[in-house]
Amino acid sequence: MALRLGDTAPDFTAETTEGPIRFHDWLGGSWGVLFSHPKDYTPVCTTELGKVSKIKKDFDKRGVKVIGLSVDPLDSHKGWINDINETQKTKVNFPMIGDPERKTAVLYDMLDPTSKDNLTARSVFVISPDKKIKLMITYPASTGRN
């Protein structure tokens, strides 16, 4: 069944670039933004993650935790972070979920059924401290940045 506004955000465990998490525990009493990107090392995704890093202090001031996801493995994320830091003149300062088995992507209905590569669509979820989904945006990777 598809997720809807007001649903409880599914809990999950995942490996991230900052270590393992259980999503609801990681959120604690904070608001959260969970966003996906289709693939590591793509130019649009590189600039998106660089921008999130640059404005993360604004999320922090508002008590909002930010976490990214792609279906690439953690070792790819770790190499890509170096590329983001260098090309975007920043330091990635939030965790990125490695989801090569697409478990979280399926749980959050992030897979684009029209994609031949079965990459994640571009998705953004805003989750409140009570773990309810307050905003969802999902569109195909071919559309460009969010």
Side-chain angles (χ1 to χ4, degrees):
M1 183 189 295
L3 294 174
R4 299 176 60 111
L5 292 175
D7 285 352
T8 298
D11 196 13
F12 59 88
T13 57
E15 294 297 322
T16 78
T17 53
E18 295 183 1
I21 65 161
R22 178 170 206 94
F23 188 58
H24 284 186
D25 292 343
W26 177 80
L27 278 175
S30 299
W31 283 82
V33 175
L34 167 64
F35 67 97
S36 64
H37 51 90
K39 188 113 180 99
D40 291 359
Y41 293 97
T42 58
V44 170
C45 297
T46 298
T47 59
E48 283 176 348
L49 272 69
K51 182 64 175 180
V52 171
S53 296
K54 289 177 181 177
I55 64 171
K56 184 173 175 293
K57 66 181 178 289
D58 294 321
F59 287 105
D60 292 343
K61 282 193 297 192
R62 292 163 177 85
V64 178
K65 293 184 174 182
V66 180
I67 191 165
L69 174 146
S70 88
V71 294
D72 290 311
L74 281 182
D75 61 337
S76 177
H77 284 356
K78 289 177 181 177
W80 186 35
I81 285 172
N82 293 330
D83 183 65
I84 295 166
N85 291 343
E86 180 182 336
T87 63
Q88 303 307 301
K89 310 284 188 264
T90 191
K91 182 175 181 345
V92 172
N93 49 11
F94 57 90
M96 293 173 25
I97 298 167
D99 193 26
E101 295 176 3
R102 295 170 167 75
K103 290 179 181 178
T104 304
V106 167
L107 188 63
Y108 276 78
D109 202 22
M110 294 177 176
L111 296 177
D112 178 357
T114 65
S115 172
K116 292 182 171 115
D117 294 326
N118 205 20
L119 301 175
T120 47
R122 295 179 184 276
S123 296
V124 179
F125 295 88
V126 174
I127 301 161
S128 63
D130 64 356
K131 313 302 184 274
K132 301 294 184 188
I133 297 172
K134 300 298 183 179
L135 176 138
M136 298 184 306
I137 304 170
T138 299
Y139 55 96
S142 61
T143 300
R145 73 176 64 222
N146 56 17

PDB file of all heavy atoms in Angstrom, residues 3-39:
ATOM      1  N   LEU A   3       2.221   5.037   0.661  1.00  0.00           N
ATOM      2  CA  LEU A   3       2.210   5.961   1.793  1.00  0.00           C
ATOM      3  C   LEU A   3       1.327   7.160   1.476  1.00  0.00           C
ATOM      4  O   LEU A   3       1.219   7.589   0.325  1.00  0.00           O
ATOM      5  CB  LEU A   3       3.633   6.445   2.077  1.00  0.00           C
ATOM      6  CG  LEU A   3       4.618   5.394   2.561  1.00  0.00           C
ATOM      7  CD1 LEU A   3       6.011   5.996   2.659  1.00  0.00           C
ATOM      8  CD2 LEU A   3       4.179   4.837   3.888  1.00  0.00           C
ATOM      9  N   ARG A   4       0.719   7.689   2.519  1.00  0.00           N
ATOM     10  CA  ARG A   4      -0.150   8.862   2.376  1.00  0.00           C
ATOM     11  C   ARG A   4       0.219   9.891   3.435  1.00  0.00           C
ATOM     12  O   ARG A   4       0.801   9.553   4.467  1.00  0.00           O
ATOM     13  CB  ARG A   4      -1.610   8.451   2.514  1.00  0.00           C
ATOM     14  CG  ARG A   4      -2.058   7.458   1.457  1.00  0.00           C
ATOM     15  CD  ARG A   4      -3.476   7.017   1.701  1.00  0.00           C
ATOM     16  NE  ARG A   4      -4.372   8.155   1.661  1.00  0.00           N
ATOM     17  CZ  ARG A   4      -5.269   8.369   0.713  1.00  0.00           C
ATOM     18  NH1 ARG A   4      -5.414   7.508  -0.254  1.00  0.00           N
ATOM     19  NH2 ARG A   4      -6.045   9.438   0.750  1.00  0.00           N
ATOM     20  N   LEU A   5      -0.143  11.128   3.178  1.00  0.00           N
ATOM     21  CA  LEU A   5       0.048  12.171   4.183  1.00  0.00           C
ATOM     22  C   LEU A   5      -0.653  11.764   5.466  1.00  0.00           C
ATOM     23  O   LEU A   5      -1.758  11.233   5.437  1.00  0.00           O
ATOM     24  CB  LEU A   5      -0.517  13.497   3.690  1.00  0.00           C
ATOM     25  CG  LEU A   5       0.214  14.147   2.535  1.00  0.00           C
ATOM     26  CD1 LEU A   5      -0.538  15.388   2.069  1.00  0.00           C
ATOM     27  CD2 LEU A   5       1.639  14.495   2.895  1.00  0.00           C
ATOM     28  N   GLY A   6       0.001  11.987   6.583  1.00  0.00           N
ATOM     29  CA  GLY A   6      -0.559  11.640   7.884  1.00  0.00           C
ATOM     30  C   GLY A   6      -0.224  10.238   8.345  1.00  0.00           C
ATOM     31  O   GLY A   6      -0.407   9.918   9.521  1.00  0.00           O
ATOM     32  N   ASP A   7       0.274   9.387   7.431  1.00  0.00           N
ATOM     33  CA  ASP A   7       0.707   8.051   7.836  1.00  0.00           C
ATOM     34  C   ASP A   7       1.933   8.153   8.735  1.00  0.00           C
ATOM     35  O   ASP A   7       2.714   9.107   8.638  1.00  0.00           O
ATOM     36  CB  ASP A   7       1.097   7.201   6.615  1.00  0.00           C
ATOM     37  CG  ASP A   7      -0.081   6.687   5.812  1.00  0.00           C
ATOM     38  OD1 ASP A   7      -1.238   6.848   6.259  1.00  0.00           O
ATOM     39  OD2 ASP A   7       0.169   6.131   4.728  1.00  0.00           O
ATOM     40  N   THR A   8       2.106   7.156   9.577  1.00  0.00           N
ATOM     41  CA  THR A   8       3.345   7.052  10.326  1.00  0.00           C
ATOM     42  C   THR A   8       4.451   6.670   9.350  1.00  0.00           C
ATOM     43  O   THR A   8       4.298   5.731   8.563  1.00  0.00           O
ATOM     44  CB  THR A   8       3.231   5.997  11.442  1.00  0.00           C
ATOM     45  OG1 THR A   8       2.201   6.408  12.348  1.00  0.00           O
ATOM     46  CG2 THR A   8       4.539   5.829  12.187  1.00  0.00           C
ATOM     47  N   ALA A   9       5.537   7.419   9.377  1.00  0.00           N
ATOM     48  CA  ALA A   9       6.676   7.116   8.508  1.00  0.00           C
ATOM     49  C   ALA A   9       7.212   5.743   8.872  1.00  0.00           C
ATOM     50  O   ALA A   9       7.444   5.466  10.060  1.00  0.00           O
ATOM     51  CB  ALA A   9       7.757   8.174   8.673  1.00  0.00           C
ATOM     52  N   PRO A  10       7.403   4.872   7.904  1.00  0.00           N
ATOM     53  CA  PRO A  10       7.923   3.547   8.228  1.00  0.00           C
ATOM     54  C   PRO A  10       9.283   3.624   8.924  1.00  0.00           C
ATOM     55  O   PRO A  10      10.150   4.404   8.527  1.00  0.00           O
ATOM     56  CB  PRO A  10       8.055   2.875   6.862  1.00  0.00           C
ATOM     57  CG  PRO A  10       7.081   3.598   5.982  1.00  0.00           C
ATOM     58  CD  PRO A  10       7.098   5.013   6.480  1.00  0.00           C
ATOM     59  N   ASP A  11       9.441   2.820   9.948  1.00  0.00           N
ATOM     60  CA  ASP A  11      10.719   2.709  10.639  1.00  0.00           C
ATOM     61  C   ASP A  11      11.579   1.699   9.887  1.00  0.00           C
ATOM     62  O   ASP A  11      11.049   0.785   9.235  1.00  0.00           O
ATOM     63  CB  ASP A  11      10.492   2.257  12.087  1.00  0.00           C
ATOM     64  CG  ASP A  11      11.697   2.489  12.975  1.00  0.00           C
ATOM     65  OD1 ASP A  11      12.622   3.220  12.566  1.00  0.00           O
ATOM     66  OD2 ASP A  11      11.700   1.940  14.086  1.00  0.00           O
ATOM     67  N   PHE A  12      12.868   1.851   9.946  1.00  0.00           N
ATOM     68  CA  PHE A  12      13.775   0.917   9.280  1.00  0.00           C
ATOM     69  C   PHE A  12      15.143   1.020   9.931  1.00  0.00           C
ATOM     70  O   PHE A  12      15.449   1.992  10.620  1.00  0.00           O
ATOM     71  CB  PHE A  12      13.872   1.214   7.773  1.00  0.00           C
ATOM     72  CG  PHE A  12      14.352   2.607   7.451  1.00  0.00           C
ATOM     73  CD1 PHE A  12      15.712   2.892   7.331  1.00  0.00           C
ATOM     74  CD2 PHE A  12      13.445   3.640   7.267  1.00  0.00           C
ATOM     75  CE1 PHE A  12      16.155   4.175   7.037  1.00  0.00           C
ATOM     76  CE2 PHE A  12      13.871   4.928   6.970  1.00  0.00           C
ATOM     77  CZ  PHE A  12      15.227   5.194   6.851  1.00  0.00           C
ATOM     78  N   THR A  13      15.948   0.002   9.721  1.00  0.00           N
ATOM     79  CA  THR A  13      17.356   0.063  10.090  1.00  0.00           C
ATOM     80  C   THR A  13      18.143   0.191   8.796  1.00  0.00           C
ATOM     81  O   THR A  13      17.730  -0.326   7.744  1.00  0.00           O
ATOM     82  CB  THR A  13      17.806  -1.187  10.873  1.00  0.00           C
ATOM     83  OG1 THR A  13      17.545  -2.347  10.084  1.00  0.00           O
ATOM     84  CG2 THR A  13      17.077  -1.300  12.194  1.00  0.00           C
ATOM     85  N   ALA A  14      19.261   0.900   8.868  1.00  0.00           N
ATOM     86  CA  ALA A  14      20.063   1.104   7.664  1.00  0.00           C
ATOM     87  C   ALA A  14      21.501   1.390   8.034  1.00  0.00           C
ATOM     88  O   ALA A  14      21.786   1.907   9.118  1.00  0.00           O
ATOM     89  CB  ALA A  14      19.499   2.262   6.844  1.00  0.00           C
ATOM     90  N   GLU A  15      22.361   1.091   7.117  1.00  0.00           N
ATOM     91  CA  GLU A  15      23.758   1.488   7.209  1.00  0.00           C
ATOM     92  C   GLU A  15      23.886   2.845   6.542  1.00  0.00           C
ATOM     93  O   GLU A  15      23.360   3.064   5.452  1.00  0.00           O
ATOM     94  CB  GLU A  15      24.663   0.472   6.513  1.00  0.00           C
ATOM     95  CG  GLU A  15      24.689  -0.885   7.199  1.00  0.00           C
ATOM     96  CD  GLU A  15      25.256  -0.834   8.614  1.00  0.00           C
ATOM     97  OE1 GLU A  15      26.218  -0.073   8.851  1.00  0.00           O
ATOM     98  OE2 GLU A  15      24.727  -1.544   9.477  1.00  0.00           O
ATOM     99  N   THR A  16      24.551   3.772   7.227  1.00  0.00           N
ATOM    100  CA  THR A  16      24.749   5.106   6.666  1.00  0.00           C
ATOM    101  C   THR A  16      26.233   5.454   6.692  1.00  0.00           C
ATOM    102  O   THR A  16      27.036   4.754   7.320  1.00  0.00           O
ATOM    103  CB  THR A  16      23.976   6.189   7.458  1.00  0.00           C
ATOM    104  OG1 THR A  16      24.698   6.503   8.655  1.00  0.00           O
ATOM    105  CG2 THR A  16      22.560   5.748   7.789  1.00  0.00           C
ATOM    106  N   THR A  17      26.542   6.547   6.060  1.00  0.00           N
ATOM    107  CA  THR A  17      27.928   7.021   6.053  1.00  0.00           C
ATOM    108  C   THR A  17      28.393   7.449   7.436  1.00  0.00           C
ATOM    109  O   THR A  17      29.586   7.634   7.661  1.00  0.00           O
ATOM    110  CB  THR A  17      28.081   8.197   5.079  1.00  0.00           C
ATOM    111  OG1 THR A  17      27.104   9.192   5.397  1.00  0.00           O
ATOM    112  CG2 THR A  17      27.908   7.733   3.637  1.00  0.00           C
ATOM    113  N   GLU A  18      27.457   7.578   8.383  1.00  0.00           N
ATOM    114  CA  GLU A  18      27.808   7.927   9.763  1.00  0.00           C
ATOM    115  C   GLU A  18      27.517   6.775  10.724  1.00  0.00           C
ATOM    116  O   GLU A  18      27.419   6.995  11.928  1.00  0.00           O
ATOM    117  CB  GLU A  18      27.057   9.194  10.178  1.00  0.00           C
ATOM    118  CG  GLU A  18      27.501  10.410   9.367  1.00  0.00           C
ATOM    119  CD  GLU A  18      26.833  11.705   9.788  1.00  0.00           C
ATOM    120  OE1 GLU A  18      26.020  11.701  10.736  1.00  0.00           O
ATOM    121  OE2 GLU A  18      27.123  12.726   9.148  1.00  0.00           O
ATOM    122  N   GLY A  19      27.380   5.564  10.191  1.00  0.00           N
ATOM    123  CA  GLY A  19      27.137   4.392  11.014  1.00  0.00           C
ATOM    124  C   GLY A  19      25.696   3.904  10.910  1.00  0.00           C
ATOM    125  O   GLY A  19      24.862   4.526  10.249  1.00  0.00           O
ATOM    126  N   PRO A  20      25.410   2.788  11.576  1.00  0.00           N
ATOM    127  CA  PRO A  20      24.061   2.213  11.480  1.00  0.00           C
ATOM    128  C   PRO A  20      23.044   3.061  12.250  1.00  0.00           C
ATOM    129  O   PRO A  20      23.381   3.688  13.257  1.00  0.00           O
ATOM    130  CB  PRO A  20      24.203   0.835  12.117  1.00  0.00           C
ATOM    131  CG  PRO A  20      25.410   0.923  12.985  1.00  0.00           C
ATOM    132  CD  PRO A  20      26.306   1.970  12.390  1.00  0.00           C
ATOM    133  N   ILE A  21      21.819   3.084  11.733  1.00  0.00           N
ATOM    134  CA  ILE A  21      20.739   3.799  12.418  1.00  0.00           C
ATOM    135  C   ILE A  21      19.475   2.948  12.438  1.00  0.00           C
ATOM    136  O   ILE A  21      19.294   2.067  11.608  1.00  0.00           O
ATOM    137  CB  ILE A  21      20.390   5.160  11.762  1.00  0.00           C
ATOM    138  CG1 ILE A  21      19.828   4.957  10.353  1.00  0.00           C
ATOM    139  CG2 ILE A  21      21.562   6.109  11.782  1.00  0.00           C
ATOM    140  CD1 ILE A  21      19.047   6.135   9.819  1.00  0.00           C
ATOM    141  N   ARG A  22      18.629   3.225  13.384  1.00  0.00           N
ATOM    142  CA  ARG A  22      17.218   2.836  13.368  1.00  0.00           C
ATOM    143  C   ARG A  22      16.498   4.164  13.190  1.00  0.00           C
ATOM    144  O   ARG A  22      16.659   5.066  14.009  1.00  0.00           O
ATOM    145  CB  ARG A  22      16.803   2.122  14.644  1.00  0.00           C
ATOM    146  CG  ARG A  22      15.335   1.780  14.640  1.00  0.00           C
ATOM    147  CD  ARG A  22      14.944   0.859  15.792  1.00  0.00           C
ATOM    148  NE  ARG A  22      13.781   0.132  15.385  1.00  0.00           N
ATOM    149  CZ  ARG A  22      13.770  -1.077  14.823  1.00  0.00           C
ATOM    150  NH1 ARG A  22      14.900  -1.713  14.629  1.00  0.00           N
ATOM    151  NH2 ARG A  22      12.649  -1.650  14.475  1.00  0.00           N
ATOM    152  N   PHE A  23      15.757   4.329  12.108  1.00  0.00           N
ATOM    153  CA  PHE A  23      15.269   5.627  11.671  1.00  0.00           C
ATOM    154  C   PHE A  23      14.511   6.388  12.756  1.00  0.00           C
ATOM    155  O   PHE A  23      14.823   7.548  13.031  1.00  0.00           O
ATOM    156  CB  PHE A  23      14.412   5.470  10.410  1.00  0.00           C
ATOM    157  CG  PHE A  23      14.017   6.769   9.791  1.00  0.00           C
ATOM    158  CD1 PHE A  23      14.967   7.682   9.373  1.00  0.00           C
ATOM    159  CD2 PHE A  23      12.678   7.090   9.616  1.00  0.00           C
ATOM    160  CE1 PHE A  23      14.597   8.892   8.794  1.00  0.00           C
ATOM    161  CE2 PHE A  23      12.304   8.293   9.034  1.00  0.00           C
ATOM    162  CZ  PHE A  23      13.260   9.190   8.627  1.00  0.00           C
ATOM    163  N   HIS A  24      13.525   5.778  13.384  1.00  0.00           N
ATOM    164  CA  HIS A  24      12.749   6.498  14.399  1.00  0.00           C
ATOM    165  C   HIS A  24      13.613   6.911  15.589  1.00  0.00           C
ATOM    166  O   HIS A  24      13.450   8.012  16.123  1.00  0.00           O
ATOM    167  CB  HIS A  24      11.556   5.657  14.869  1.00  0.00           C
ATOM    168  CG  HIS A  24      10.428   5.625  13.884  1.00  0.00           C
ATOM    169  ND1 HIS A  24       9.232   5.035  14.175  1.00  0.00           N
ATOM    170  CD2 HIS A  24      10.308   6.090  12.610  1.00  0.00           C
ATOM    171  CE1 HIS A  24       8.417   5.148  13.129  1.00  0.00           C
ATOM    172  NE2 HIS A  24       9.055   5.780  12.169  1.00  0.00           N
ATOM    173  N   ASP A  25      14.548   6.052  15.993  1.00  0.00           N
ATOM    174  CA  ASP A  25      15.464   6.416  17.082  1.00  0.00           C
ATOM    175  C   ASP A  25      16.373   7.566  16.658  1.00  0.00           C
ATOM    176  O   ASP A  25      16.650   8.476  17.438  1.00  0.00           O
ATOM    177  CB  ASP A  25      16.306   5.215  17.512  1.00  0.00           C
ATOM    178  CG  ASP A  25      15.490   4.132  18.192  1.00  0.00           C
ATOM    179  OD1 ASP A  25      14.344   4.407  18.625  1.00  0.00           O
ATOM    180  OD2 ASP A  25      16.001   2.992  18.282  1.00  0.00           O
ATOM    181  N   TRP A  26      16.848   7.523  15.412  1.00  0.00           N
ATOM    182  CA  TRP A  26      17.725   8.572  14.888  1.00  0.00           C
ATOM    183  C   TRP A  26      16.991   9.910  14.875  1.00  0.00           C
ATOM    184  O   TRP A  26      17.556  10.938  15.240  1.00  0.00           O
ATOM    185  CB  TRP A  26      18.210   8.190  13.488  1.00  0.00           C
ATOM    186  CG  TRP A  26      19.055   9.226  12.830  1.00  0.00           C
ATOM    187  CD1 TRP A  26      20.389   9.462  13.038  1.00  0.00           C
ATOM    188  CD2 TRP A  26      18.619  10.187  11.867  1.00  0.00           C
ATOM    189  NE1 TRP A  26      20.812  10.515  12.253  1.00  0.00           N
ATOM    190  CE2 TRP A  26      19.750  10.964  11.519  1.00  0.00           C
ATOM    191  CE3 TRP A  26      17.410  10.459  11.250  1.00  0.00           C
ATOM    192  CZ2 TRP A  26      19.680  12.000  10.598  1.00  0.00           C
ATOM    193  CZ3 TRP A  26      17.346  11.488  10.326  1.00  0.00           C
ATOM    194  CH2 TRP A  26      18.480  12.248  10.008  1.00  0.00           C
ATOM    195  N   LEU A  27      15.713   9.902  14.474  1.00  0.00           N
ATOM    196  CA  LEU A  27      14.926  11.139  14.468  1.00  0.00           C
ATOM    197  C   LEU A  27      14.709  11.678  15.874  1.00  0.00           C
ATOM    198  O   LEU A  27      14.711  12.888  16.081  1.00  0.00           O
ATOM    199  CB  LEU A  27      13.558  10.907  13.821  1.00  0.00           C
ATOM    200  CG  LEU A  27      13.479  10.947  12.317  1.00  0.00           C
ATOM    201  CD1 LEU A  27      12.072  10.580  11.854  1.00  0.00           C
ATOM    202  CD2 LEU A  27      13.881  12.296  11.762  1.00  0.00           C
ATOM    203  N   GLY A  28      14.504  10.767  16.830  1.00  0.00           N
ATOM    204  CA  GLY A  28      14.210  11.215  18.186  1.00  0.00           C
ATOM    205  C   GLY A  28      12.983  12.104  18.188  1.00  0.00           C
ATOM    206  O   GLY A  28      11.971  11.790  17.576  1.00  0.00           O
ATOM    207  N   GLY A  29      13.070  13.260  18.814  1.00  0.00           N
ATOM    208  CA  GLY A  29      11.957  14.198  18.865  1.00  0.00           C
ATOM    209  C   GLY A  29      12.068  15.313  17.849  1.00  0.00           C
ATOM    210  O   GLY A  29      11.452  16.362  18.007  1.00  0.00           O
ATOM    211  N   SER A  30      12.857  15.101  16.798  1.00  0.00           N
ATOM    212  CA  SER A  30      13.095  16.132  15.784  1.00  0.00           C
ATOM    213  C   SER A  30      12.200  15.957  14.571  1.00  0.00           C
ATOM    214  O   SER A  30      11.699  14.878  14.304  1.00  0.00           O
ATOM    215  CB  SER A  30      14.553  16.071  15.299  1.00  0.00           C
ATOM    216  OG  SER A  30      15.445  16.297  16.353  1.00  0.00           O
ATOM    217  N   TRP A  31      12.064  17.029  13.823  1.00  0.00           N
ATOM    218  CA  TRP A  31      11.535  16.941  12.472  1.00  0.00           C
ATOM    219  C   TRP A  31      12.625  16.289  11.621  1.00  0.00           C
ATOM    220  O   TRP A  31      13.810  16.337  11.972  1.00  0.00           O
ATOM    221  CB  TRP A  31      11.239  18.334  11.917  1.00  0.00           C
ATOM    222  CG  TRP A  31       9.984  18.938  12.446  1.00  0.00           C
ATOM    223  CD1 TRP A  31       9.831  19.587  13.634  1.00  0.00           C
ATOM    224  CD2 TRP A  31       8.712  18.931  11.814  1.00  0.00           C
ATOM    225  NE1 TRP A  31       8.524  19.997  13.775  1.00  0.00           N
ATOM    226  CE2 TRP A  31       7.812  19.610  12.658  1.00  0.00           C
ATOM    227  CE3 TRP A  31       8.226  18.422  10.607  1.00  0.00           C
ATOM    228  CZ2 TRP A  31       6.482  19.784  12.342  1.00  0.00           C
ATOM    229  CZ3 TRP A  31       6.897  18.612  10.294  1.00  0.00           C
ATOM    230  CH2 TRP A  31       6.029  19.278  11.154  1.00  0.00           C
ATOM    231  N   GLY A  32      12.240  15.708  10.503  1.00  0.00           N
ATOM    232  CA  GLY A  32      13.214  15.090   9.621  1.00  0.00           C
ATOM    233  C   GLY A  32      12.887  15.302   8.162  1.00  0.00           C
ATOM    234  O   GLY A  32      11.716  15.438   7.791  1.00  0.00           O
ATOM    235  N   VAL A  33      13.931  15.348   7.354  1.00  0.00           N
ATOM    236  CA  VAL A  33      13.796  15.364   5.898  1.00  0.00           C
ATOM    237  C   VAL A  33      14.574  14.167   5.378  1.00  0.00           C
ATOM    238  O   VAL A  33      15.795  14.074   5.580  1.00  0.00           O
ATOM    239  CB  VAL A  33      14.328  16.674   5.276  1.00  0.00           C
ATOM    240  CG1 VAL A  33      14.284  16.602   3.752  1.00  0.00           C
ATOM    241  CG2 VAL A  33      13.552  17.875   5.782  1.00  0.00           C
ATOM    242  N   LEU A  34      13.858  13.246   4.764  1.00  0.00           N
ATOM    243  CA  LEU A  34      14.452  12.081   4.097  1.00  0.00           C
ATOM    244  C   LEU A  34      14.323  12.325   2.605  1.00  0.00           C
ATOM    245  O   LEU A  34      13.215  12.566   2.108  1.00  0.00           O
ATOM    246  CB  LEU A  34      13.700  10.807   4.501  1.00  0.00           C
ATOM    247  CG  LEU A  34      13.980   9.538   3.688  1.00  0.00           C
ATOM    248  CD1 LEU A  34      15.423   9.083   3.847  1.00  0.00           C
ATOM    249  CD2 LEU A  34      13.013   8.430   4.099  1.00  0.00           C
ATOM    250  N   PHE A  35      15.448  12.329   1.900  1.00  0.00           N
ATOM    251  CA  PHE A  35      15.377  12.554   0.454  1.00  0.00           C
ATOM    252  C   PHE A  35      16.238  11.536  -0.275  1.00  0.00           C
ATOM    253  O   PHE A  35      17.249  11.057   0.232  1.00  0.00           O
ATOM    254  CB  PHE A  35      15.779  13.984   0.090  1.00  0.00           C
ATOM    255  CG  PHE A  35      17.226  14.318   0.337  1.00  0.00           C
ATOM    256  CD1 PHE A  35      18.151  14.264  -0.676  1.00  0.00           C
ATOM    257  CD2 PHE A  35      17.649  14.701   1.609  1.00  0.00           C
ATOM    258  CE1 PHE A  35      19.481  14.580  -0.451  1.00  0.00           C
ATOM    259  CE2 PHE A  35      18.976  15.023   1.850  1.00  0.00           C
ATOM    260  CZ  PHE A  35      19.892  14.958   0.813  1.00  0.00           C
ATOM    261  N   SER A  36      15.798  11.193  -1.469  1.00  0.00           N
ATOM    262  CA  SER A  36      16.544  10.227  -2.278  1.00  0.00           C
ATOM    263  C   SER A  36      17.117  10.921  -3.504  1.00  0.00           C
ATOM    264  O   SER A  36      16.622  11.950  -3.958  1.00  0.00           O
ATOM    265  CB  SER A  36      15.633   9.076  -2.710  1.00  0.00           C
ATOM    266  OG  SER A  36      14.596   9.534  -3.543  1.00  0.00           O
ATOM    267  N   HIS A  37      18.159  10.323  -4.005  1.00  0.00           N
ATOM    268  CA  HIS A  37      18.742  10.749  -5.269  1.00  0.00           C
ATOM    269  C   HIS A  37      18.992   9.496  -6.090  1.00  0.00           C
ATOM    270  O   HIS A  37      19.219   8.416  -5.537  1.00  0.00           O
ATOM    271  CB  HIS A  37      20.013  11.573  -5.058  1.00  0.00           C
ATOM    272  CG  HIS A  37      21.028  10.933  -4.160  1.00  0.00           C
ATOM    273  ND1 HIS A  37      22.015  10.098  -4.631  1.00  0.00           N
ATOM    274  CD2 HIS A  37      21.184  10.985  -2.823  1.00  0.00           C
ATOM    275  CE1 HIS A  37      22.742   9.678  -3.615  1.00  0.00           C
ATOM    276  NE2 HIS A  37      22.260  10.203  -2.510  1.00  0.00           N
ATOM    277  N   PRO A  38      18.905   9.596  -7.414  1.00  0.00           N
ATOM    278  CA  PRO A  38      18.951   8.394  -8.241  1.00  0.00           C
ATOM    279  C   PRO A  38      20.272   7.633  -8.236  1.00  0.00           C
ATOM    280  O   PRO A  38      20.272   6.413  -8.233  1.00  0.00           O
ATOM    281  CB  PRO A  38      18.656   8.910  -9.652  1.00  0.00           C
ATOM    282  CG  PRO A  38      17.940  10.190  -9.436  1.00  0.00           C
ATOM    283  CD  PRO A  38      18.506  10.779  -8.170  1.00  0.00           C
ATOM    284  N   LYS A  39      21.406   8.330  -8.223  1.00  0.00           N
ATOM    285  CA  LYS A  39      22.677   7.630  -8.402  1.00  0.00           C
ATOM    286  C   LYS A  39      23.819   8.505  -7.907  1.00  0.00           C
ATOM    287  O   LYS A  39      23.798   9.717  -8.087  1.00  0.00           O
ATOM    288  CB  LYS A  39      22.865   7.329  -9.891  1.00  0.00           C
ATOM    289  CG  LYS A  39      24.019   6.450 -10.216  1.00  0.00           C
ATOM    290  CD  LYS A  39      23.520   5.123 -10.751  1.00  0.00           C
ATOM    291  CE  LYS A  39      24.676   4.220 -11.093  1.00  0.00           C
ATOM    292  NZ  LYS A  39      24.964   3.256 -10.068  1.00  0.00           N
TER     293      LYS A  39
END
